[in-house]
Amino acid sequence: MLDADESWRQVRDAARIAMHAGKSFWSMKIGREYRIQLVEDDRIVIQRLRGQPTVLTRSAVARAVDLLNQANGGVGRRTLLPKVAREAVFVSLHPRLRWSDDLNRIEVVDSSGAPVIYKDFGQAPNDDPTELQEFARRVRAGQRRFRENLLNLYGARCAITDWGPSEVLECAHILWHSDSGLNDTGNGLLLRSDLHTLFDAGLLRIHPSRLVVVLDEVLEGTPYWELNGAPLRPRVDGSQPRLEYLEARWSSSRGAG
């Protein structure tokens, strides 16, 4: 069970840190950007970069916590709070909330990041192997569609080297999936498996304005160095990953995955 007062303190304190750091938040489905404009004892003012500010209040957080507790730890997207900006910021700031893999639910998690309540099994997962396998398939559905979409967009070729076949290619999230929950194609790159590893480690980056590969100096003298400065291949429809995601990744010292 979540505690309303503790939840508000956690969200308010995290909002202050995010405001001073200039951190952006993103709506999961439509990719709108928000930032914290003001934090007071009983309210957080959220700036919508393409609209008027909105306010997340202490009382709204209390109602959201009550709803989550009544719903056994999971609710549908856009049912927790009435405004997308408030819901996106609240879930991002609360240390025990996350988006489900298909981005359609908000779930309470424990300290390890595992869901506290499994919606399919009540208080604990059923030990029947068949049911567990079915549950796992549903959890992985978002990742599977993410891969299928990127394979189609890149013609089953690596976004950097133009290599195939699909068996040697992996889907890399530009922004951490565990942080953003984003499985939309704007947050993805189709990469050769070894390049995905380098991307996750921060040794291979994509310059957000020039759209070229930038390698860490530790790779100089290796066969990978020939990729330094290589252009990012456009997709079959001429598109590229979302610029704001690439910019956020570029400015971050942390990998994605």
Side-chain angles (χ1 to χ4, degrees):
M1 299 283 284
L2 296 175
D3 179 79
D5 290 335
E6 178 64 17
S7 290
W8 172 251
R9 286 192 293 271
Q10 291 172 326
V11 169
R12 182 193 60 199
D13 292 347
R16 288 187 175 127
I17 294 172
M19 179 179 66
H20 291 304
K23 178 179 179 180
S24 293
F25 301 89
W26 304 88
S27 56
M28 293 297 98
K29 287 285 189 179
I30 56 180
R32 288 181 181 162
E33 184 179 6
Y34 313 107
R35 291 181 184 169
I36 306 300
Q37 186 179 73
L38 178 69
V39 180
E40 298 180 334
D41 286 344
D42 294 314
R43 69 175 193 148
I44 298 167
V45 180
I46 302 165
Q47 177 64 55
R48 294 181 287 191
L49 298 192
R50 293 181 179 85
Q52 295 297 313
T54 188
V55 176
L56 176 64
T57 64
R58 181 171 186 160
S59 59
V61 167
R63 289 193 296 271
V65 167
D66 185 56
L67 177 60
L68 283 164
N69 289 335
Q70 290 182 26
N72 292 324
V75 298
R77 183 177 66 92
R78 302 195 70 174
T79 61
L80 189 60
L81 288 163
K83 297 289 186 180
V84 173
R86 299 175 197 169
E87 186 175 81
V89 170
F90 174 60
V91 175
S92 298
L93 291 174
H94 199 295
R96 291 190 56 198
L97 296 181
R98 75 168 191 186
W99 299 99
S100 63
D101 286 340
D102 61 7
L103 306 183
N104 288 323
R105 284 176 59 82
I106 297 162
E107 301 171 338
V108 180
V109 298
D110 60 23
S111 58
S112 71
V116 173
I117 301 296
Y118 289 80
K119 62 178 180 178
D120 296 75
F121 302 122
Q123 291 291 335
N126 195 309
D127 289 330
D128 181 86
T130 302
E131 293 186 20
L132 285 174
Q133 290 168 11
E134 177 61 26
F135 174 71
R137 281 193 291 270
R138 283 195 289 270
V139 170
R140 292 194 300 267
Q143 298 293 320
R144 183 174 62 251
R145 287 193 295 271
F146 181 61
R147 176 175 173 81
E148 290 171 353
N149 289 339
L150 285 177
L151 282 169
N152 288 331
L153 278 173
Y154 282 105
R157 314 296 291 184
C158 174
I160 294 174
T161 65
D162 199 27
W163 277 37
S166 60
E167 287 78 7
V168 303
L169 302 176
E170 296 178 354
C171 296
H173 287 85
I174 297 169
L175 300 180
W176 273 91
H177 182 265
S178 58
D179 289 344
S180 69
L182 290 169
N183 275 328
D184 70 81
T185 55
N187 191 41
L189 291 167
L190 190 67
L191 298 177
R192 207 172 68 194
S193 58
D194 57 333
L195 300 185
H196 186 187
T197 300
L198 294 176
F199 186 71
D200 283 355
L203 299 179
L204 182 156
R205 298 195 294 165
I206 305 298
H207 194 282
S209 60
R210 294 190 290 127
L211 295 180
V212 298
V213 173
V214 178
L215 297 181
D216 190 278
E217 291 180 355
V218 300
L219 294 175
E220 190 170 359
T222 72
Y224 291 109
W225 195 249
E226 66 182 27
L227 297 176
N228 196 40
L232 189 66
R233 292 179 55 243
R235 298 161 174 186
V236 295
D237 62 356
S239 68
Q240 292 282 13
R242 292 191 58 162
L243 177 61
E244 55 264 41
Y245 298 163
L246 290 171
E247 288 176 337
R249 174 60 182 265
W250 179 263
S251 62
S252 173
S253 59
R254 184 182 180 191

